[in-house]
Structures are given as structure tokens and as C-alpha cells.
Amino acid sequence: MSKISTIINREYITRVRKKSFIIMTLLAPVLFAAMVFVPVLIMSNDDKDFKKIAVVEDGTDLFKDVLKDRADVTFEYLGDVDINTMKSTYAEAGYYGVLYISPVVVNVPEAVQLISTKQPPMELLQYIERSLEKKIEDEKLAGYNIENLDQIMKSIATDVRVQTIRIDDKGEAKETNTGIAMGLAYGGALIMYMIVLLFGVQVMRGVFEEKNNRIVEVIISSVKPFELMMGKIIGIALVGLTQFFVWILLTVAIVMVGKSMIMPENSTEIAQAMTQSVMQQGTANDQAAEIMASIPEEQQEFMKLFTSFMNVPWGLILISFLFYFVFGYLLYASIFAAVGSAVDSESDTQQFMFPIMLPIILGLFVAMGTMENPESSLSFWFSMIPFTSPIVMMARIPFDVPVWEVALSIAILAATFVGFVYIAGKIYRVGILMYGKKVTYKEMWKWIRY
Amino acid sequence: MSLLVAEEVVKQYSNHLALDRLNMSVPNKSIYGLLGPNGAGKTTLLRIINQITAPDSGRVLLDGAKLGPHSLTKIGYLPEERGLYKKMKVGEQAIYLARLKGLSRHEAIRRLRYWFKKLEIIEWWDKKVEELSKGMQQKIQFVTTVLHEPELLIFDEPFSGFDPINARTLKEEILSLRDKGATIIFSTHNMESVEELCDHITLIDRARSILEGNIETIRNQWAGNEYIVRYSGDPEMKENALFNLLETRRENGYTDIRFNAKENMQVNDIIKEVISKGEMVSFNPALPSMNEIFIRVVEANKEQKSK
């Protein structure tokens, strides 16, 4: 046992010390974090330049103080000035544009103009429209002379937003976001595909290297061939796990730092409030509602996205990722080890690579299809077949898969691994001492039964 | 007393018989030559001793006990097909191989420093193996083979790739290991080094042992009636009643004659005859070289098999 740990130690240390490993480990989380932030930044950061807008009203002063200043826009109410002179001088006066409101606006919706040399952001126009509409509505209502109008209005104020809430078997509800689930499914399947292939091929290379530089006979005069093979497989698995944990830690760290830079200071409270409001369904407490009301709507959208992001079953995803990585990798690594031991030159690996790659690529295709229809029976079966299950199941989990299905699939995978590592050990034992012979499948079959 | 005994060992591969009821007994604290043409089954036998492969039948005893996991640390094996990790540093790699043989890290470093200094390779400690020449790598492999001080050392073609000076150093080390109590199995095609080093040999041909025993005994058995005599000066030698002259050679003021003694002639009579002719420097039976014996035995075996 101490010998196998010596082997594991060597396999691990020599790889972890490599420059390529260190660079990959540190750089990838930056890319992952970029995947999270870039869409958010593009969405929320289209035109954040500070703007000053002159408001000109023709004849009346109905809309004085109606347009409230915001962080990125201030409105300067100039009242009744000549619009034509303003048109030619606003830029010199440092205005972004001139908002001209005609008195007929109460009846004619198009009677408002925003004059500017630039294309104003859609969101700013909506803000202005909403503010003016509200004022006009208020004025119209006031015309009916209803008593206690303010109270009535408050009591009838209604807000409807459709939220997708999925209910699991236990009746617990979660707010979900199909977009995020798709992203996770895609990401999970792809990363699993890459990791199994990447580290599996490393095992093959390692075995091949030992055979090719003839050190293998020296080593197996000290340890059993199976110990050498398992030592290598486990050592490289630990390299993979190290990378995996560093990636998660760094990604979380970067996302947290990035979040505090993008989001308002009280974001944690808000996130809590939102989660609460979702969990308590309807009986949202006032405090939460208040906090919600205090932030601009545009940011609420972002917060929502973020909250859905946080509501993803991260625990299940990460734990099953770990299991699928470990067993999926072990299964393929033992096959790759057998191939590495059987071949004489790197080019000979081609004939064996194809049948190994076939299920992996098939798995990736099914995983992509899974995102369209997570509940299909095709997806189900491919997430049970051990050669494709690590990839396909990773694509299914973000869409909520019963835990028993995940557990069954992992159990099948683990059992298959045990069978395959036994067979691989037999091929390996003969293969590593076999030189100058082109190995066929028939030959390998002989080694297995031998 | 034999350290290693192989009894009726059989190993059948799918299309040929590698070892056919092979017997071998390696005396304690000796250097034992394992000879034989290519493909005779030597490497298979060595792999069985190292438990890299298992025999189909028969058994191998080390120190009177059947081979098992405990025997691995008692054996040091330098295979013919040998190599090192190219990207690994020399010292690190040697420590790794030593630890696989059961040495602690600390002990491995201590012994490695001793050996590396002795063989004048200590300055390579932090070099990568790929930076070294083949001969340098061979030295490191030799050190890692003997480092755990095994009772049984197995060297398969240890001198290939060495220059004469390094080969001599290695020979001296092998002899001193034997003197310190190790038993050495030595497999080679270089018959000169067999004559130089080995106490006993086994010659394997076509999966069977066809010649076994003490090397002096074997050479004397194959010697026949040939003798070589050296004189100083150049006395005249002629054919006579005692022997047939085969060859006369003169160089550097000496005369060497080689002759075949006639049947039933006593050595003492011959000596009397030859010292009457001039000043004799040496008188030796002409032992056949191991090379000759090898060829004759294997050829004879081939003829016998084809009959």
C-alpha cells in the first residue's frame, strides 16, 4: 500500500509542478467568471454616461418636478423658453438633449420630443414615458373629484409578474430560470467531456511513455503491474480534482468580488429579501417589499437573474459533478491505460482511439439535445448508460432530475468501472512488456482470457 | 548452499514454449552466468524470478522459500530493456525507485549520496535524465539496482553502452558486491566477461538448460589434450613421440608452441621433454574459450534436435 502511494505521489507531483498545469489552473477561472459577467455587463452597461437633459414645456408648467433625477440622468426644468433657440444652443450649454413637451400631450401621445444628436437608450425613453404617463393619469383622475383618491389608488395598486416556480416531489418550490439552466447544462456537459478526455489521454500518454522509455520493467520488478496502473490513474485523478477545486474556489472568489463591484451595497439584504419572498410565497413580508421598492427596476431585473443563479441546485450539481468526474474518468482512464500499454508507437493509438471517442462524442450530442427536451426517454437512457452518463446526466441535472436517477446512474457507472479496470489490468500486464508487435483486437482478447 | 533454485519451470506462450522443465541452482555468494542464444528463454526466466510473469508450472525458491511479495525487496534487477523517466531529475528519480524497493526517503538519500560520490556522478543530482548520455544513464540504473542491498542481483547485459573505462569500473563494483556477500546472476552474450567474472554458468538453448556447472570444470571438461608452452629465446621444436605440434609463434623474444598430446602420454613426461629444449617460461593446458564452448554446445544441440 505504501508503494502505491509512492507511485500516486510521483504521478501527482510531477504533473502539478508543470508550468502548463499552473497556468491552466489559474487562468481558467478568469474565463469562467467572464462567462458569468460578460452577458450581465453587456445587458446593464450599455450607456452609463452621465446625461443632463433640458426640459422645455410649452405654455403650461404641468410637468414641473415630474421627472426625477437618477444616478445617470438629471432633468433641468427650464419651463417656457423658446424651443427653437434651445435647439441650437443646448449642446453648448452642456445638455445631452432637450425634452420638449407640448400642451396637447394630454390628448396626443406624440406631442413629446426628445431632441438630441445622439440616439438615447431605450430604457431612458421608457423612463420618461412612464413618468409622464403617470402624471397625466393622475391629472385625469383628479379631474373626477373623487374623495380620498390617494388612499383608493394605494389600495388598488396591483403588480403582476409571472415567475417560473418549479415544484419538486416534496412540494418545495424554487424560482427557476430556463436560460440559466440551459447555460449550466451546456457548461456542465462540455466541461465533463473535456475533463474526461483531457485526463484520460494523460493516462494513456503516461502509460505509453513508461513503456516506450523502457522504465516499466524496472518498476514492475518492485511493484505489481496493477499497482503501477492504478497509481497512475489515481495520481492523475488527484491532479484533476485539485484543478477542479482550485477552479471552483477561484471562480467563486472572482464572482463575489465582481458582484460587489457591479451590484449595490445592500445587495445581500436584497438577495435575502428576494429569496424570502419566494419561499414564503405571497406572504412576502413588508420589509422585503420595501427593500424591493427602493431599488430601480432595471437593477431588480439583474438582481432577479442573480437570485435565480443562486437558486440553482449548486450542491447537487457540484456533488454529482464530482462523482461523475471521478467514476467517468476512472472508467475511461482504465480503457486509455489499456490502450497505452498495448501500442508500440503513438500513431498506433489511432485505431483504438476511435471506438473510445465514439461514445464520448455521442454523449455530447445527446447532451445538447437534452437541453431542448430534458425529460425525453433518449436522454434518460443515455444518462444511464455508463459510457455516456457522465456527460448526459450533467446536462440533465440543472433541469431537476430525481435523486434516485442520479444515484442509480452513478452506481451503474461505478460497477462498470470495476469491471473495466479488471479487464484493463489484464491487457496492461501483458501489453507493457510487448514490443515490436502490432496489436490487434484479437490479440488483446487473448490477453484478457490469458 | 543455493540461494536461488528453479525446479522444473515451464512457461508456455500462446505460440511457443519459452521454458521447458528448466532446472537451475545458483550457489550462494557466487556470480552466476546465464548464457544462451537469442530467444532461448533467458529473459522469460529472469522475469519469472522477478515475478513479472508467473510460471505455468514448477517453482522457484529464494533462500529456501517460495517467491512472494516479500522477495521483491531481496532482489535487484537491471533488465536488458531499461530506461528512466526523461523529464525527471536524476536524484528525485533515484529516490523514487529506491522507495519502490522499500527504502525510506532518508535512507535512500544517504545511500544514493554514497554511491553517486563513489561513481563520480554526484554533480548530476539535479540534472534531468534527458540531458545525460546513455552511459551516464546506465550508471544511474546500476546504482538504483544495487541501492537496497539485495541478496540477489540480476544484471541483464549490464555492460552494453559502456566505454571500456566505465565497464571496468562496473566489473570491479560487481566483484566487490559479490565479495560483500551478494549473489549475482549475470546474463550476457559477451563471453569474455563471462570468463572474467562468472563462477558458475547455465547455458539455455531452446527453452532447456543444456550445460550447467562450475566454469573451470566445464572448461577443463572441454579442454581435450591441448597445451601451450612458452620459451624465452627461439629453441627449435619438432614433432616427436609425445605430441603433435599444432602451431609455433615467435614474438618479443618468446616462442609459443601449441601442441596436442598423444594418447596415454603423461603430462610430466611431456614437461621433461619440453624443458630439455630451452628455458621454459610457462606451461598451460589450452582451455577452450567460453565462446568456443558456447558455439559447439549450441550447434550440437541444434543437430541433435533436427535429427
Side-chain angles (χ1 to χ4, degrees):
Chain A
M1 203 55 213
S2 76
K3 282 182 185 172
I4 200 167
S5 60
T6 309
I7 296 170
I8 292 171
N9 187 48
R10 192 201 83 87
E11 298 292 338
Y12 181 78
I13 295 290
T14 51
R15 284 184 172 76
V16 168
R17 265 201 234 138
K18 274 188 193 157
K19 279 194 198 79
S20 57
F21 174 83
I22 296 170
I23 292 171
M24 258 305 273
T25 309
L26 297 182
L27 213 59
V30 178
L31 295 177
F32 294 152
M35 270 162 58
V36 176
F37 279 117
V38 167
V40 171
L41 285 174
I42 289 171
M43 257 168 44
S44 63
N45 204 25
D46 38 14
D47 188 2
K48 279 275 191 242
D49 292 342
F50 185 77
K51 300 176 194 68
K52 198 164 77 172
I53 294 174
V55 182
V56 175
E57 197 175 348
D58 201 355
T60 60
D61 61 351
L62 187 61
F63 296 103
K64 191 175 179 184
D65 297 333
V66 165
L67 288 157
K68 300 273 185 310
D69 291 350
R70 300 195 318 191
D72 57 335
V73 190
T74 54
F75 296 95
E76 221 160 281
Y77 189 77
L78 301 179
D80 192 2
V81 293
D82 182 26
I83 182 65
N84 288 324
T85 38
M86 272 310 287
K87 269 184 192 170
S88 50
T89 59
Y90 77 92
E92 286 162 35
Y95 293 111
Y96 172 81
V98 182
L99 183 70
Y100 172 73
I101 307 169
S102 149
V104 294
V105 70
V106 179
N107 302 313
V108 184
E110 291 84 13
V112 181
Q113 295 170 328
L114 181 60
I115 301 145
S116 175
T117 50
K118 297 183 188 112
Q119 173 62 41
M122 186 58 87
E123 179 274 329
L124 177 63
L125 295 180
Q126 284 171 350
Y127 176 72
I128 295 171
E129 281 169 11
R130 275 201 309 270
S131 305
L132 299 184
E133 276 167 11
K134 178 119 197 321
K135 178 67 184 167
I136 295 167
E137 279 171 18
D138 287 353
E139 284 302 315
K140 282 181 178 169
L141 275 169
Y144 288 102
N145 274 328
I146 302 165
E147 264 177 69
N148 299 331
L149 181 67
D150 282 358
Q151 277 163 312
I152 295 169
M153 285 311 289
K154 232 177 215 163
S155 71
I156 63 169
T158 317
D159 188 13
V160 176
R161 273 175 215 163
V162 177
Q163 298 185 322
T164 44
I165 309 279
R166 293 208 24 170
I167 299 174
D168 62 18
D169 297 340
K170 291 178 203 123
E172 276 176 36
K174 282 189 205 94
E175 191 176 1
T176 63
N177 180 311
T178 314
I180 287 177
M182 291 260 294
L184 283 173
Y186 191 84
L190 206 64
I191 291 175
M192 182 64 72
Y193 162 83
M194 282 182 350
I195 272 185
V196 165
L197 211 58
L198 199 73
F199 291 104
V201 168
Q202 276 202 36
V203 171
M204 185 175 77
R205 287 251 168 77
V207 170
F208 179 73
E209 184 203 355
E210 274 166 3
K211 177 180 178 177
N212 205 35
N213 70 17
R214 307 286 202 263
I215 196 174
V216 71
E217 196 162 345
V218 176
I219 294 179
I220 59 173
S221 68
S222 307
V223 300
K224 290 199 186 88
F226 188 75
E227 286 177 309
L228 178 60
M229 184 180 91
M230 280 317 288
K232 181 173 290 295
I233 289 176
I234 294 170
I236 294 175
L238 292 179
V239 174
L241 289 175
T242 306
Q243 200 158 49
F244 178 66
F245 283 120
V246 174
W247 279 354
I248 288 177
L249 282 179
L250 283 182
T251 307
V252 167
I254 293 173
V255 168
M256 285 302 158
V257 170
K259 190 188 88 169
S260 66
M261 277 159 58
I262 293 181
M263 309 253 287
E265 278 155 28
N266 57 346
S267 62
T268 31
E269 284 169 55
I270 297 165
Q272 270 170 8
M274 293 180 81
T275 328
Q276 267 178 13
S277 73
V278 170
M279 287 196 312
Q280 296 174 2
Q281 278 195 304
T283 63
N285 64 38
D286 295 339
Q287 203 194 344
E290 233 166 78
I291 297 170
M292 294 278 286
S294 75
I295 48 172
E297 229 167 288
E298 150 231 17
Q299 262 183 357
Q300 282 190 30
E301 281 306 308
F302 174 56
M303 300 289 307
K304 264 223 160 70
L305 200 69
F306 204 87
T307 313
S308 307
F309 205 72
M310 291 307 190
N311 277 349
V312 163
W314 287 111
L316 182 66
I317 288 183
L318 289 181
I319 289 171
S320 25
F321 189 91
L322 204 62
F323 272 101
Y324 280 111
F325 165 63
V326 169
F327 287 110
Y329 158 81
L330 285 176
L331 174 60
Y332 276 103
S334 45
I335 300 173
F336 275 120
V339 170
S341 74
V343 295
D344 240 5
S345 70
E346 200 117 43
S347 57
D348 283 353
T349 57
Q350 295 306 325
Q351 57 160 332
F352 296 108
M353 282 297 276
F354 179 67
I356 303 176
M357 290 298 295
L358 202 65
I360 301 184
I361 291 172
L362 193 65
L364 196 62
F365 275 121
V366 174
M368 297 300 139
T370 294
M371 282 164 232
E372 302 297 319
N373 189 1
E375 315 279 330
S376 74
S377 61
L378 183 79
S379 300
F380 173 81
W381 286 111
F382 274 86
S383 64
M384 288 298 150
I385 297 170
F387 297 99
T388 53
S389 66
I391 296 169
V392 177
M393 195 57 110
M394 281 323 293
R396 284 186 66 203
I397 288 176
F399 298 100
D400 279 340
V401 176
V403 174
W404 71 264
E405 277 187 27
V406 179
L408 176 64
S409 146
I410 290 176
I412 295 173
L413 182 62
T416 315
F417 155 66
V418 172
F420 264 79
V421 79
Y422 176 76
I423 293 170
K426 295 202 148 192
I427 295 177
Y428 179 87
R429 203 182 55 189
V430 183
I432 43 171
L433 294 173
M434 202 66 83
Y435 297 111
K437 204 166 166 187
K438 204 160 164 134
V439 174
T440 58
Y441 286 106
K442 203 177 137 199
E443 191 88 22
M444 274 202 198
W445 178 240
K446 246 190 238 160
W447 299 351
I448 292 169
R449 288 184 310 161
Y450 177 63
Chain B
M1 173 65 195
S2 294
L3 182 73
L4 183 96
V5 179
E7 288 173 356
E8 299 286 304
V9 172
V10 177
K11 182 72 186 178
Q12 170 81 53
Y13 287 119
S14 50
N15 41 17
H16 82 287
L17 187 62
L19 291 174
D20 182 12
R21 281 174 289 131
L22 185 115
N23 289 294
M24 185 171 88
S25 169
V26 180
N28 211 348
K29 299 179 189 182
S30 68
I31 298 182
Y32 197 94
L34 188 61
L35 317 180
N38 296 323
K42 297 187 302 284
T43 303
T44 304
L45 179 62
L46 295 183
R47 283 181 179 169
I48 287 171
I49 296 170
N50 281 290
Q51 301 176 68
I52 291 168
T53 44
D56 297 335
S57 68
R59 58 178 193 163
V60 179
L61 305 175
L62 180 70
D63 241 351
K66 256 197 108 177
L67 289 178
H70 59 277
S71 359
L72 287 175
T73 55
K74 293 184 182 172
I75 303 177
Y77 178 37
L78 183 70
E80 188 180 6
E81 298 282 6
R82 53 185 174 246
L84 296 163
Y85 291 109
K86 293 199 166 48
K87 302 272 176 202
M88 231 175 151
K89 286 181 181 160
V90 171
E92 223 179 318
Q93 178 147 214
I95 293 169
Y96 172 63
L97 293 173
R99 295 193 65 193
L100 290 183
K101 279 292 185 188
L103 289 183
S104 73
R105 190 184 173 78
H106 179 78
E107 184 62 18
I109 292 172
R110 195 182 66 77
R111 293 191 195 180
L112 279 169
R113 295 191 73 83
Y114 165 79
W115 274 104
F116 274 38
K117 274 184 190 146
K118 191 172 185 187
L119 296 180
E120 296 166 348
I121 53 178
I122 191 79
E123 69 270 25
W124 302 344
W125 188 274
D126 274 324
K127 282 211 170 120
K128 278 187 183 170
V129 168
E130 59 189 351
E131 297 170 46
L132 306 182
S133 73
K134 198 182 169 212
M136 292 169 170
Q137 295 186 26
Q138 301 263 83
K139 272 191 179 177
I140 294 158
Q141 281 157 345
F142 174 78
V143 172
T144 58
T145 308
V146 303
L147 197 70
H148 59 292
E149 294 171 3
E151 292 169 49
L152 179 64
L153 280 162
I154 300 172
F155 297 115
D156 197 349
E157 291 293 354
F159 302 117
S160 67
F162 271 125
D163 62 47
I165 293 170
N166 278 322
R168 191 189 59 193
T169 313
L170 196 64
K171 268 176 201 163
E172 282 163 7
E173 290 304 332
I174 290 175
L175 287 171
S176 93
L177 284 166
R178 194 251 333 250
D179 296 341
K180 281 179 200 154
T183 306
I184 293 154
I185 295 178
F186 175 42
S187 171
T188 184
H189 291 303
N190 181 343
M191 292 303 144
E192 271 173 42
S193 57
V194 171
E195 286 167 22
E196 227 174 307
L197 293 172
C198 293
D199 306 312
H200 301 265
I201 61 137
T202 277
L203 201 161
I204 296 178
D205 185 34
R206 290 151 196 265
R208 307 204 61 168
S209 166
I210 55 171
L211 183 66
E212 187 186 6
N214 181 288
I215 194 162
E216 292 306 316
T217 317
I218 290 174
R219 286 180 77 184
N220 280 314
Q221 278 170 359
W222 285 80
N225 288 325
E226 267 178 51
Y227 298 90
I228 294 174
V229 176
R230 167 168 280 203
Y231 296 97
S232 66
D234 49 355
E236 187 73 12
M237 290 303 297
K238 281 198 185 115
E239 195 101 5
N240 58 35
L242 293 167
F243 55 78
N244 304 313
L245 190 64
L246 295 172
E247 195 185 355
T248 306
R249 251 196 327 208
R250 292 192 168 89
E251 53 178 24
N252 304 330
Y254 291 107
T255 303
D256 291 324
I257 60 161
R258 193 158 66 88
F259 58 80
N260 205 344
K262 289 184 175 162
E263 265 176 62
N264 302 322
M265 290 301 135
Q266 293 298 309
V267 175
N268 281 354
D269 297 337
I270 299 172
I271 292 175
K272 273 180 206 155
E273 168 66 23
V274 295
I275 54 177
S276 67
K277 302 285 178 192
E279 195 182 334
M280 190 176 79
V281 177
S282 66
F283 181 96
N284 287 307
L287 290 180
S289 68
M290 279 314 294
N291 208 33
E292 263 177 78
I293 296 173
F294 183 100
I295 293 169
R296 274 153 71 182
V297 171
V298 172
E299 293 284 327
N301 192 42
K302 193 172 163 187
E303 270 170 40
Q304 198 190 351
K305 281 276 158 65
S306 57
K307 265 177 198 167

